Amino acid sequence: MTRTGALCCGAAIALMSAAAARAEDAPASKTTQLEEVVVTAQRTETNLQQTPVAVTALSGAALRDRNVTSLLDISGYVPSLSIGSRSGTSTANGGVSIRGMGVDATASSAAVGIYVDDVYLPSGAGNLLSLFDVDRVEVLRGPQGTLFGRNTIAGAIQYVTTKPDQHFGGYLDAIGGSYGRADIQGALNVPLGDTLAIRISGASAIRSGFDRDVLNDVERGADRTREGRIQARWTPTDRLTVDLKGEIISERTNGRAVTVAAVNPNAQFVGLAQLFGETQPLDSRYVSTGKYSFAGFNAPDYFRFNYAEAQAVISYKLTDEIALKSITAYSSSRSRLAQDFDNTPLPILASSPAGDNLGVFTQEVQLSRQSPAAHLRWTVGAYYYDSKERDDPGQGIVLGLGPTMFPYGNPATDITSEALYGQGAYDLTDRLSLTAGLRYSHEKNSGWLQGQSAPVSATFENTSPQIGVDFKLNDDALLYAKASKGFRAGGITPNAALPGGGLAYAPETAWTYEAGARLEFLDRRLRINPTVFYTDWKDIQFNVLIPTPSTVVAATDNAGDAHIKGFELESQFAATDRLLLTGSLSLLDAEYSRVGNLIRFQYPFGYLATFPNPATGQILPGSTLTLPNLTLDTPLQRAPKTKFSVGGRYTVPLAGDSKVVASLDYAWTAKQNSAVTIADAVVMPAYGLLSARLQYDAPGGRWSAAVFGTNLTDAYYLVGGVDFAAGYTVGTRELDLGRPREWGVELRTRF
């Protein structure tokens, strides 16, 4: 047994011994009601069971019980949510999908919006945020245009941090574990008089790698993240609240955790690399033989990310029922990504370190009437978004031994978006309510090659409605149905290798029809929330590889249309005051109804390679074979047919208000495609993850100690991948690896 494992086992035995010694002092078991869950899915605080929206809320305590430390970890516990890596970048750029919507489309805005304290997170790089000093995370499924600033066609994730209050206190938390894990985080809340309080929080998380790079004798997949946050809340009157926040994030990795599942020695860039000096053949020697090892990178492969944000939220109650809210934010991020695309020691294809700089200003104003006693409740708002993205000069790809580099052309993109939105709910009776909403969006997308071309702009307009009805059968049962339209603007992919220096793509839209129930039984000990939905998705945006005379370019285009229908279920059962059971389930049926006629990929014969004709087997050097890259039968990206999770929490009360809590969770996900197109997609096999936690809470909650384990069955699973073994790319099939079994010990003190 390792030293870390011995420490974990020793701590577990100590905690269980304490529980056994004091169990005789514990009160008798009895039943209890489930706690009320408060959400802000409708931009005001409401009881989850009285909110006619498909939303999952996970409190900070619930996240700790499940050993969740980042957004990547939450997908197992939320119906219809899939989070993994973007093709070829591993987890440097997270791919997020809700209900099968959220395909990789680098040039377009996110299909699933991530909001941190009401502010849209604009960067795809570094978007798998670590979770610290968090009040709760909410996942909203379906279009969210009529109440949210930045339009999101598939859904939204809300990250709500803990706010300053008028109580001095804080916490300090330390975690040590396997694979060199060393995390520390904490927060200090300080009142400064009767009307002002500040909260300072910070975190550092370090994990070693787990994937052996044989060539460089290093474990890839290591990550180091540091974050700092300062918040202030000023309440000079009972009507005015001013929240100010500043935040910084720094993330560093030592390269992607990958394996190579297959090679194609006749791939396009293998031949091109030979033209540029490479003489070694690509063959089976470079196929990975172990689960967590590969031959290695011969070129730099890493990710660097720095992010800074400042925001101000000002809320003022004009009357007892009507409130005005202003949300202002500016963020600046810089990412730097280096990739060895072929994932081998051979110099076939690599990127120079690509630096991307993004600055975003947003302003949102809301006026709302949300009094529970009012028959008419409404929210209207205006939103402005202005982003400027610039790539560093000198970026490109290197073929073979070089030093010839094919430049990207130093692309730049400007996006401005304005929107007006509103939603109102009217109570026809004490039980029956109608809801209607409307959003108007106007977006301008400009792209160009800095110093080489003039900006080319495209403008998009859209009006998206929502209408719904909800009916209260009684105090414990709510039924609802709604229809809503989502919209994602089109744009331009600038690249020097494309004709005209760029490629335009069209906007996409989706109508979602949804019905659900929010039910409680057994004196509110049992909670069951089922939802059914149907989505008609048009002009789906996706990434496509486009062959050019000298290279292959990744650009955003439109794939076609799809129909998605599904069922979702979430439940909680307080079996006794000691035992809480939880469960979730989602079933998806997603299929294309139309695919574009131009979605093809080519095997360009003649790059010192020969390919057989699939029909005759005849080798035709110097020719080109064109094959379909998307068909009506192709599975949608990140749309597993089935997902479920089950979990239990058992609490043993001890003397002096102390307790021991044991948690066990299992989350299972069916197989799913990692990418959109046939040539790029890897089928990620089904997998299940088991985690456990045993925690002792001292009297009064002053301190706690816990041992925990994740992926306890040591399941081998994938978070993404891309099939570069097709003939028109670098010749290797890349698999992005999930982390193996890990153990840890956590100590937390509160003051």
Side-chain angles (χ1 to χ4, degrees):
M1 180 180 293
T2 66
R3 182 177 180 181
T4 300
L7 180 61
C8 293
C9 290
I13 293 171
L15 292 179
M16 287 186 289
S17 297
R22 301 186 184 183
E24 61 185 28
D25 298 325
S29 177
K30 61 180 180 180
T31 59
T32 187
Q33 291 183 335
L34 292 168
E35 293 183 356
E36 178 181 310
V37 178
V38 175
V39 297
T40 54
Q42 295 184 308
R43 304 306 288 270
T44 187
E45 291 188 351
T46 58
N47 181 344
L48 173 64
Q49 294 306 108
Q50 302 300 319
T51 305
V53 175
V55 56
T56 299
L58 297 170
S59 67
L63 294 170
R64 289 185 65 223
D65 285 345
R66 292 173 169 85
N67 306 306
V68 170
T69 59
S70 78
L71 289 183
L72 180 64
D73 302 327
I74 71 171
S75 63
Y77 306 106
V78 180
S80 301
L81 175 65
S82 178
I83 302 180
S85 62
R86 284 203 175 195
S87 298
T89 66
S90 191
T91 53
N93 295 282
V96 185
S97 173
I98 291 179
R99 294 176 172 175
M101 301 174 64
V103 300
D104 293 345
T106 302
S108 62
S109 59
V112 178
I114 298 176
Y115 292 82
V116 182
D117 294 329
D118 287 334
V119 174
Y120 174 76
L121 182 71
S123 177
N127 63 346
L128 299 181
L129 300 171
S130 63
L131 300 173
F132 83 101
D133 201 25
V134 58
D135 181 74
R136 66 185 180 279
V137 174
E138 300 175 7
V139 181
L140 292 76
R141 300 183 288 277
Q144 302 296 324
T146 60
L147 282 176
F148 278 76
R150 187 76 167 132
N151 198 12
T152 52
I153 194 170
I157 298 176
Q158 293 201 94
Y159 180 152
V160 183
T161 64
T162 304
K163 300 297 184 292
D165 58 33
Q166 288 297 313
H167 298 89
F168 178 83
Y171 74 93
L172 184 65
D173 189 298
I175 298 176
S178 54
Y179 293 96
R181 182 169 180 178
D183 299 356
I184 186 168
Q185 63 171 273
L188 177 65
N189 192 93
V190 182
L192 300 175
D194 296 333
T195 62
L196 179 64
I198 63 170
R199 187 176 184 90
I200 302 171
S201 52
S204 172
I206 298 174
R207 285 191 184 184
S208 300
F210 61 94
D211 181 34
R212 188 69 175 170
D213 177 333
V214 175
L215 176 67
N216 297 287
D217 191 25
V218 66
E219 303 291 335
R220 302 288 183 175
D223 184 274
R224 187 199 73 195
T225 302
R226 293 173 178 170
E227 302 180 60
R229 183 186 303 145
I230 182 169
Q231 301 185 81
R233 169 164 286 187
W234 182 45
T235 53
T237 72
D238 59 355
R239 292 186 177 274
L240 177 63
T241 301
V242 179
D243 286 312
L244 304 177
K245 185 180 78 169
E247 185 163 12
I248 57 173
I249 302 173
S250 173
E251 183 179 1
R252 303 287 186 270
T253 77
N254 75 336
R256 295 166 295 129
V258 301
T259 62
V260 174
V263 298
N264 182 344
N266 293 322
Q268 173 187 3
F269 283 108
V270 176
L272 285 173
Q274 294 178 31
L275 288 176
F276 288 92
E278 169 55 36
T279 59
Q280 297 296 318
L282 176 67
D283 54 35
S284 59
R285 290 176 297 172
Y286 301 108
V287 176
S288 299
T289 57
K291 292 193 300 183
Y292 300 109
S293 68
F294 68 112
F297 298 131
N298 74 289
D301 197 282
Y302 60 81
F303 176 61
R304 307 284 186 268
F305 178 69
N306 292 285
Y307 178 83
E309 184 205 32
Q311 74 174 63
V313 180
I314 303 173
S315 303
Y316 184 74
K317 293 183 179 179
L318 300 174
T319 70
D320 290 341
E321 293 186 346
I322 298 177
L324 180 66
K325 188 175 187 179
S326 169
I327 306 169
T328 307
Y330 178 78
S331 65
S332 174
S333 64
R334 174 172 173 77
S335 62
R336 192 170 178 85
L337 180 65
Q339 294 171 270
D340 184 351
F341 286 114
D342 56 84
N343 308 298
T344 73
L346 302 180
I348 297 174
L349 182 70
S351 70
S352 62
D356 180 82
N357 307 281
L358 176 65
V360 178
F361 171 79
T362 62
Q363 175 63 56
E364 184 173 0
V365 178
Q366 295 177 356
L367 185 66
S368 62
R369 183 193 188 197
Q370 295 295 339
S371 171
H375 288 287
L376 176 62
R377 300 169 300 282
W378 48 265
T379 296
V380 294
Y383 182 75
Y384 177 74
Y385 174 92
D386 183 9
S387 73
K388 300 183 184 302
E389 187 171 11
R390 304 288 185 270
D391 281 7
D392 290 342
Q395 300 179 32
I397 59 174
V398 179
L399 283 166
L401 298 176
T404 302
M405 183 174 68
F406 297 88
Y408 297 139
N410 197 18
T413 303
D414 285 355
I415 298 175
T416 57
S417 178
E418 303 96 15
L420 297 173
Y421 61 87
Q423 182 171 304
Y426 182 72
D427 296 334
L428 296 175
T429 71
D430 292 341
R431 296 179 180 273
L432 181 64
S433 297
L434 294 179
T435 300
L438 193 67
R439 178 192 182 91
Y440 169 75
S441 302
H442 178 276
E443 186 162 311
K444 181 179 180 181
N445 189 317
S446 301
W448 70 98
L449 302 174
Q450 300 175 67
Q452 301 180 46
S453 62
V456 177
S457 300
T459 302
F460 307 93
E461 292 184 301
N462 178 265
T463 301
S464 299
Q466 174 181 304
I467 188 169
V469 59
D470 58 89
F471 181 73
K472 295 180 181 177
L473 288 174
N474 52 51
D475 291 341
D476 296 329
L478 173 72
L479 308 178
Y480 78 92
K482 70 174 186 176
S484 56
K485 182 183 179 183
F487 167 74
R488 180 156 64 156
I492 297 169
T493 303
N495 192 295
L498 292 171
L503 176 70
Y505 55 94
E508 68 179 33
T509 59
W511 269 102
T512 295
Y513 308 91
E514 179 181 305
R518 305 292 173 256
L519 309 172
E520 291 183 321
F521 305 96
L522 304 177
D523 192 25
R524 299 188 179 177
R525 292 169 43 218
L526 175 62
R527 182 176 294 155
I528 299 177
N529 294 342
T531 307
V532 295
F533 68 91
Y534 174 82
T535 297
D536 185 10
W537 193 10
K538 301 289 188 184
D539 296 317
I540 301 168
Q541 296 170 6
F542 78 123
N543 274 0
V544 61
L545 293 178
I546 300 175
T548 69
S550 60
T551 185
V552 172
V553 175
T556 298
D557 204 346
N558 299 94
D561 306 333
H563 294 154
I564 306 171
K565 52 182 178 288
F567 171 77
E568 299 160 346
L569 179 68
E570 294 181 277
S571 62
Q572 289 181 299
F573 179 41
T576 72
D577 69 334
R578 297 186 178 188
L579 178 62
L580 174 66
L581 303 176
T582 61
S584 70
L585 169 70
S586 61
L587 306 173
L588 283 181
D589 183 3
E591 60 184 10
Y592 287 102
S593 57
R594 179 185 66 85
V595 296
N597 292 326
L598 299 180
I599 302 173
R600 301 287 186 266
F601 69 94
Q602 295 180 330
Y603 287 97
F605 302 161
Y607 293 103
L608 303 184
T610 57
F611 295 82
N613 185 319
T616 65
Q618 181 183 6
I619 293 178
L620 300 173
S623 302
T624 297
L625 178 66
T626 302
L627 298 173
N629 210 0
L630 193 66
T631 71
L632 294 177
D633 296 327
T634 305
L636 270 68
Q637 182 185 24
R638 262 186 232 104
K641 290 183 179 296
T642 307
K643 284 186 64 194
F644 73 83
S645 69
V646 292
R649 312 275 175 277
Y650 191 80
T651 302
V652 180
L654 304 174
D657 195 32
S658 62
K659 60 184 177 181
V660 169
V661 181
S663 303
L664 189 68
D665 290 279
Y666 181 76
W668 188 86
T669 302
K671 68 178 182 179
Q672 54 186 311
N673 267 24
S674 68
V676 175
T677 52
I678 296 172
D680 300 329
V682 168
V683 178
M684 298 184 289
Y687 66 93
L689 298 179
L690 178 67
S691 69
R693 183 182 185 91
L694 185 64
Q695 179 169 313
Y696 170 76
D697 290 336
R702 294 188 303 273
W703 62 271
S704 64
V707 293
F708 63 88
T710 57
N711 190 10
L712 290 177
T713 62
D714 203 21
Y716 180 77
Y717 68 102
L718 306 180
V719 296
V722 60
D723 192 356
F724 286 140
Y728 73 140
T729 49
V730 297
T732 60
R733 182 176 302 144
E734 172 195 324
L735 307 180
D736 296 338
L737 303 175
R739 295 191 71 91
R741 177 171 50 221
E742 296 179 276
W743 300 89
V745 177
E746 179 181 11
L747 297 174
R748 172 175 287 217
T749 181
R750 302 170 183 85
F751 52 88

